[in-house]
Amino acid sequence: MRTFLIAPSILSADFAKLGQEVEQVVEAGADLIHFDVMDNHYVPNLTCGPMICQALRNYGIQVPIDVHLMASPVERLIEDFGQAGASMITFHPEATDHVDRCLSLIKEQGCKAGLVLNPATPLHHLDHVMDKLDVILLMSVNPGFGGQKFISSTLSKIRQVRERIDGSDHSILLQVDGGVTAENIADIAQAGADIFVAGSAIFKQSNYQQAITQLRDALARVSPNS
Ligand code: DX5
Ligand code: ZN
C-alpha cells in the first residue's frame, strides 16, 4: 500500500496570521508544511527566510517543515534553515555550481535532501546523485507564484522519475509542486508521486479540513498497484 503525503504550501496562506494558519492545516491533517523561499533573483518573487521558519517552530509547529529553496546562492541558506528547524531542504540544480556539495551540506544539518527540477529541466541532473537524494521534487508550474495551472506534460516526467527511482537501490520520495487540485491529484498519484504540494487548493478554500479531505478522498480512489 502506498503512502501519500499532503504538504500545504504556505505561499497561499495569510502571512499576517501564519502561525494560526499552519496550526489549522496541521489540525486538518497536513503531513508536512511546504515552505517556499523566493529571493527576487532566482525567481521573480520574494517571500520569507529562516527567521520565519524558526518563528513557526517557536510557535509550536512540530510537523516536518519542507523548505523549497528558490534562491541563489543556496549554501548559506542551507545552514541557516538547518539551524531554524527545517526537516527537509530542496534546491534547484541551476541555482548552484556545486550540487553534490549542497546535498552533503543539507545532510550535515541533519535534514532530508532533495533536488527540484523545473518543467524544462532535464532529468540528467539526477544521474550522479541518486545515492544522496531523499526526495526528488518535480515542478509542475514554473516556480515563482502560487495559483498557476498544472503543466500536463509533467505527468510523463513523473512516470519517468518513478521508473528511475524504482529501478534504483534507493528509497527516494517523489514530490510534485504546482497546480495540484482535487481534480488532478489522482492522475498525479497514478503517475507515481508520493508527496503532493498544494497551496491554493488548501489555503484559498474556506474550510481547510474539507479541502484536505477532498484531496485524500481523491487519493483513496487511486489503485494501490499503480
Ligand atoms: C511555486 C511554489 C509552489 C506554490 C504552489 O513556485 O513552489 O509551492 O506555492 O501553489 P499552488 O498549489 O497554488 O500551485
Ligand atoms: Zn514550492
Side-chain angles (χ1 to χ4, degrees):
M1 188 69 180
R2 289 170 60 195
T3 305
F4 297 128
L5 302 174
I6 295 189
S9 162
I10 61 165
L11 189 62
S12 300
D14 181 347
F15 277 85
K17 44 175 185 171
L18 190 60
Q20 290 150 270
E21 289 272 83
V22 171
E23 202 168 40
Q24 281 179 29
V25 288
V26 170
E27 276 167 19
D31 296 296
L32 56 165
I33 296 300
H34 186 79
F35 192 107
D36 283 311
V37 181
M38 304 185 183
D39 67 348
N40 190 39
H41 170 69
Y42 179 70
V43 288
N45 200 355
L46 186 62
T47 58
C48 42
M51 282 169 62
I52 311 291
C53 182
Q54 183 68 65
L56 288 176
R57 286 300 186 211
N58 295 346
Y59 185 78
I61 301 303
Q62 290 180 353
V63 294
I65 297 181
D66 153 32
V67 174
H68 172 192
L69 294 179
M70 287 161 276
S72 176
V74 292
E75 283 85 346
R76 167 84 190 273
L77 287 174
I78 288 171
E79 213 174 305
D80 291 351
F81 272 103
Q83 298 303 305
S87 314
M88 178 160 102
I89 302 178
T90 57
F91 64 94
H92 293 248
E94 297 93 338
T96 175
D97 289 328
H98 303 287
V99 169
D100 182 90
R101 179 190 294 157
C102 286
L103 290 170
S104 298
L105 282 176
I106 296 173
K107 303 278 188 154
E108 281 165 25
Q109 291 297 326
C111 299
K112 290 198 157 84
L115 277 185
V116 192
L117 304 183
N118 284 335
T121 302
L123 299 185
H124 67 68
H125 288 279
L126 306 171
D127 284 352
H128 304 287
V129 290
M130 289 293 277
D131 60 326
K132 289 209 159 76
L133 297 175
D134 298 298
V135 62
I136 296 167
L137 170 48
L138 291 185
M139 291 306 300
S140 37
V141 298
N142 285 293
F145 302 94
Q148 302 180 75
K149 194 175 173 312
F150 183 87
I151 297 173
S152 57
S153 61
T154 312
L155 287 174
S156 69
K157 208 172 175 189
I158 297 169
R159 281 186 213 105
Q160 290 173 48
V161 174
R162 181 81 260 161
E163 272 181 30
R164 277 198 187 214
I165 294 172
D166 291 348
S168 77
D169 296 332
H170 310 290
S171 74
I172 302 171
L173 292 168
L174 177 46
Q175 182 175 29
V176 175
D177 183 7
V180 175
T181 65
E183 284 68 45
N184 63 19
I185 196 167
D187 291 340
I188 299 167
Q190 203 87 50
D194 304 298
I195 310 178
F196 306 84
V197 176
S200 334
I202 296 174
F203 282 111
K204 295 296 182 203
Q205 311 306 311
S206 52
N207 185 325
Y208 300 160
Q209 181 88 51
Q210 214 169 56
I212 292 181
T213 302
Q214 273 175 9
L215 295 173
R216 287 213 194 276
D217 286 351
L219 287 172
R221 291 191 284 273
V222 174
S223 149
N225 301 319
S226 64

